[in-house]
Amino acid sequence: MFPTMRAQELKQIVHTNSIRFIDCRYSLNDASYGKYVYGQGHLPNAVFLDLMEDLSGPLGEHGGRHPLPSKEAWTSTLRRIGLKKDDLVIIYDDGFPYAARAWWLFKWAGHERVVVLEGGIQSGITYCGDTTTEIPHYKSSDYTPDFQDDMIATLEEVRAATNGKLYDSRSEDRYNGVHEPIDQKAGHIPNALLCSYAEAITELGTLEDFHDLKELYKDVLPVENPIFYCGSGVTACVNILALHALGKDDVRLYPGSYSDWVSYPENEVHP
């Protein structure tokens, strides 16, 4: 299934109970932002999933700033929101990256019918006409995930990655160690090449067109099982989603990403 959907495509879908909207707006500068704006208004019948509480696991010594939730925790979340196997899940934020992270988690759980709404909530308002403050309540389900662990690259696999196999999704400044606002060491993982996620999306929160994406990823497309990372396993999901849009689905995520890498004193970084 193509990993994104635009507002005009939504208009062609008959609205049934099998369409599920997921709101995952978030701000790294204000952890309360997502819940607040959801409460102020969201797409009808959308449930809210928080980056820290639902789309990440508990922080620890290792695992990065946004560790993956455990399989048990993610299964519990999917059941709590009443997910069913035949549901079409449409995810939005007010940009793209957090929706991409949620998309990746649904795919990891083996849910194929999942897309990111390009253009975020504003695009959805174009389709739905307005937002609502009504909180939907769905009956819990017995959803049983089929976890796709081949989507994950381990720390050991990242350490063994050769040149041309590993890609850094952050900005050029952070990759080069010129500017590091968050992590304790500046630079990038040895053998990693730069492939900034920001080049894959427009200012309107949509994917770049097919030809631009092919040009952006021309060196990645021939690589078997490439590995992507970012600062904490969120924005790398944009690159992974964009590559799925080009038909390349053997891309793996290093979930802990750079923030996990630098939590091991023995791991080197390159400027």
Side-chain angles (χ1 to χ4, degrees), residues 215-238:
E215 178 64 22
L216 175 63
Y217 297 112
K218 63 182 179 182
D219 295 328
V220 183
L221 290 170
V223 179
E224 185 177 353
N225 299 315
I227 299 169
F228 277 79
Y229 74 88
C230 53
S232 63
V234 175
T235 57
C237 295
V238 176

Side-chain angles (χ1 to χ4, degrees), residues 175-212:
Y175 173 82
N176 288 326
V178 174
H179 176 63
E180 181 47 65
I182 306 173
D183 293 310
Q184 56 187 291
K185 295 180 183 178
H188 60 267
I189 299 174
N191 293 322
L193 300 174
L194 178 63
C195 187
S196 178
Y197 83 93
E199 296 188 41
I201 52 179
T202 71
E203 292 182 355
L204 297 176
T206 63
L207 279 181
E208 293 285 1
D209 67 38
F210 179 81
H211 296 291
D212 287 340

Side-chain angles (χ1 to χ4, degrees), residues 87-149:
D87 284 344
L88 171 59
V89 178
I90 302 174
I91 308 171
Y92 68 87
D93 58 15
D94 47 13
F96 204 99
Y98 306 114
R101 163 76 171 217
W103 169 86
W104 188 95
L105 285 166
F106 276 90
K107 296 288 285 186
W108 177 47
H111 196 85
E112 287 300 318
R113 289 172 54 79
V114 56
V115 298
V116 167
L117 180 60
E118 295 197 44
I121 188 170
Q122 290 303 319
S123 178
I125 291 171
T126 301
Y127 162 66
C128 296
D130 205 351
T131 60
T132 180
T133 57
E134 183 178 347
I135 307 298
H137 297 283
Y138 291 97
K139 183 180 178 180
S140 296
S141 70
D142 59 355
Y143 190 89
T144 302
D146 178 19
F147 284 101
Q148 307 295 304
D149 288 336

